[in-house]
Amino acid sequence: MLEDSFGRRFYYLRLSVTDVCNFRCTYCLPNGYDGLPAEAFLTVPEIEKTVQAFAQLGTEKIRITGGEPSLRKDLSEIISRARAVKGIKKVALTTNGYKLDKKIDDWYQAGLSQINVSIDSFDQETFKEITGHDRIEEIMSGIDRAITLGLKVKVNAVLMKGVNDDLAPIFQWLKTNPVTFRFIEVMETADQDVFFRQHHVSGGDIKQQLIESGWQSIIREQAAGPAQEFWHPEYQGRFGLIMPYSKDFCASCNRLRVSSLGKMHLCLFAEQGIDLRHYMAADIPLDDMVSAIVEHVSGKALSHELINHKSGAMKNLSMIGG
Ligand code: SAM
Ligand code: SF4
């Protein structure tokens, strides 16, 4: 099992398969994607080899992210190849939902276990203003289909002051839908410092409102991720809060990241990634990549330094995969 010098164990890999995105989320790519072409990113054999190396080190769960992973035509193949690697028990996907209604059956058949869909607002106009796309209806029908197929579904929204912080529509949706809705505090990135100052609000305010409305905190399992979750006897869904600015947020970190260009990032906000791409070539022994991963994990820092406005190499989250 991969372990760092603070005793944190990593059984979870977030693997970005592209930086390309078709949305223009105000907090991420407000001017749209303008970067490398699709051919620059990891190939299926490179992805498969990376998953094999991490699986040898005890990784059980792979989350495929981006950019927008569903823009890759070979996404179903990526899912099925990752799922077929010995030791991998779960393959999850984070998506903006653009192709969800059309593709969810394929992804399910390829072996997808969980899906996180980013929906910053259930209101058609607000959704359109944030993402640049009038797509909420199709995304919601894709979510219904994912639930019907029995997939574990989470909806993520970036919490923005005065934009989407009204809890009433979320409560209404959670009443009858067995999903987890999670607010993520907006994080400062090099490109988005002004947006951050205008919109950041602490999830602590939302937590207070949840408790006042009868939501109860769920005790976190040891291996759980960074979200604080809440349940309510009158609701089918759960509410989660991801508060990267809260004390001890990094203490429960259980994830490593590989970017779509093949760099391993020990933290979303680390100064630089460690290049693994040359180890992904077919003629390099798998053990070389395994050794490189082990060697570098011990260098993982105790915590990010967001509180000091240091966002490392991160210009926006589409670069490494949020
Ligand atoms: N395109 C996919 C999507 O939006 O779900 C996957 C990649 S996106 C970078 C992953 C997650 O990062 C999304 O839930 C998005 O809302 C979140 N995100 C992007 N920029 C962020 C920021 N500055 N602060 C907090 N979350 C952010
Ligand atoms: Fe694209 Fe996801 Fe960034 Fe939105 S958050 S611009 S959907 S990568």
Side-chain angles (χ1 to χ4, degrees):
M1 174 55 81
L2 271 175
E3 193 172 313
D4 70 3
S5 51
F6 302 100
R8 291 174 297 194
R9 293 184 156 192
F10 304 99
Y11 68 94
Y12 175 18
L13 174 68
R14 294 179 72 102
L15 178 59
S16 177
V17 296
T18 183
D19 286 6
V20 183
C21 189
N22 54 338
F23 277 22
R24 295 166 173 253
C25 299
T26 45
Y27 47 79
C28 184
L29 292 174
N31 302 316
Y33 176 76
D34 179 19
L36 294 168
E39 306 75 62
F41 304 112
L42 297 179
T43 63
V44 175
E46 287 175 321
I47 291 170
E48 187 175 39
K49 190 166 179 187
T50 306
V51 175
Q52 286 166 346
F54 276 88
Q56 272 203 17
L57 292 164
T59 296
E60 296 176 352
K61 177 174 169 185
I62 305 288
R63 174 171 299 282
I64 298 165
T65 181
E68 178 44 43
S70 67
L71 296 183
R72 278 192 68 144
K73 293 194 176 65
D74 51 7
L75 179 58
S76 294
E77 191 187 353
I78 293 173
I79 295 169
S80 68
R81 294 251 215 136
R83 190 63 200 263
V85 171
K86 192 165 167 261
I88 298 301
K89 296 182 181 151
K90 285 182 189 159
V91 176
L93 176 70
T94 298
T95 173
N96 63 22
Y98 186 78
K99 296 197 175 176
L100 187 62
D101 57 335
K102 302 216 166 51
K103 289 287 186 183
I104 187 66
D105 282 77
D106 287 357
W107 300 336
Y108 175 73
Q109 267 155 27
L112 191 70
S113 341
Q114 301 183 1
I115 192 155
N116 286 9
V117 188
S118 302
I119 303 178
D120 294 317
S121 173
F122 295 123
D123 176 74
Q124 189 178 3
E125 274 310 305
T126 314
F127 183 90
K128 200 166 130 193
E129 272 163 33
I130 296 170
T131 63
H133 283 263
D134 189 2
R135 197 84 192 150
I136 187 70
E137 244 179 69
E138 292 87 343
I139 294 173
M140 296 314 283
S141 74
I143 288 190
D144 289 345
R145 180 66 189 153
I147 296 171
T148 307
L149 289 168
L151 284 165
K152 190 168 166 191
V153 179
K154 291 184 183 173
V155 166
N156 291 331
V158 174
L159 173 60
M160 291 172 273
K161 187 163 53 187
V163 176
N164 63 355
D165 50 357
D166 175 11
L167 300 187
I170 305 165
F171 284 169
Q172 194 188 341
W173 191 62
L174 289 177
K175 198 113 210 180
T176 53
N177 285 289
V179 296
T180 303
F181 177 92
R182 307 187 307 175
F183 264 140
I184 310 170
E185 276 180 10
V186 62
M187 293 178 265
E188 183 172 355
T189 61
D191 282 356
Q192 295 303 352
D193 52 336
V194 174
F195 185 94
F196 171 81
R197 283 198 294 279
Q198 286 168 344
H199 293 287
H200 181 260
V201 54
S202 163
D205 301 354
I206 302 287
K207 183 172 173 179
Q208 194 53 36
Q209 290 181 56
L210 289 174
I211 291 166
E212 282 164 13
S213 311
W215 290 78
Q216 297 167 41
S217 187
I218 297 168
I219 308 283
R220 280 206 246 179
E221 291 165 25
Q222 204 169 13
Q228 289 187 32
E229 291 201 350
F230 299 82
W231 73 284
H232 192 297
E234 291 159 22
Y235 291 78
Q236 286 198 38
R238 289 180 171 190
F239 210 115
L241 294 171
I242 300 179
M243 301 191 279
Y245 289 86
S246 64
K247 197 172 149 282
D248 290 338
F249 178 78
C250 301
S252 61
C253 186
N254 58 6
R255 60 208 52 205
L256 294 169
R257 297 166 192 272
V258 171
S259 77
S260 54
L261 294 173
K263 287 195 170 177
M264 176 165 83
H265 291 263
L266 300 175
C267 172
L268 203 46
F269 299 100
E271 278 306 332
Q272 59 194 22
I274 298 134
D275 196 8
L276 294 183
R277 196 154 195 185
H278 53 286
Y279 297 109
M280 296 176 192
D283 56 344
I284 305 287
L286 186 66
D287 282 350
D288 289 10
M289 188 172 356
V290 171
S291 307
I293 296 167
V294 172
E295 184 191 328
H296 289 294
V297 162
S298 58
K300 183 169 159 85
L302 180 59
S303 170
H304 63 59
E305 288 202 60
L306 278 176
I307 205 81
N308 301 322
H309 302 280
K310 289 192 183 162
S311 45
M314 171 72 66
K315 283 188 172 166
N316 57 64
L317 264 67
S318 81
M319 280 178 60
I320 300 180

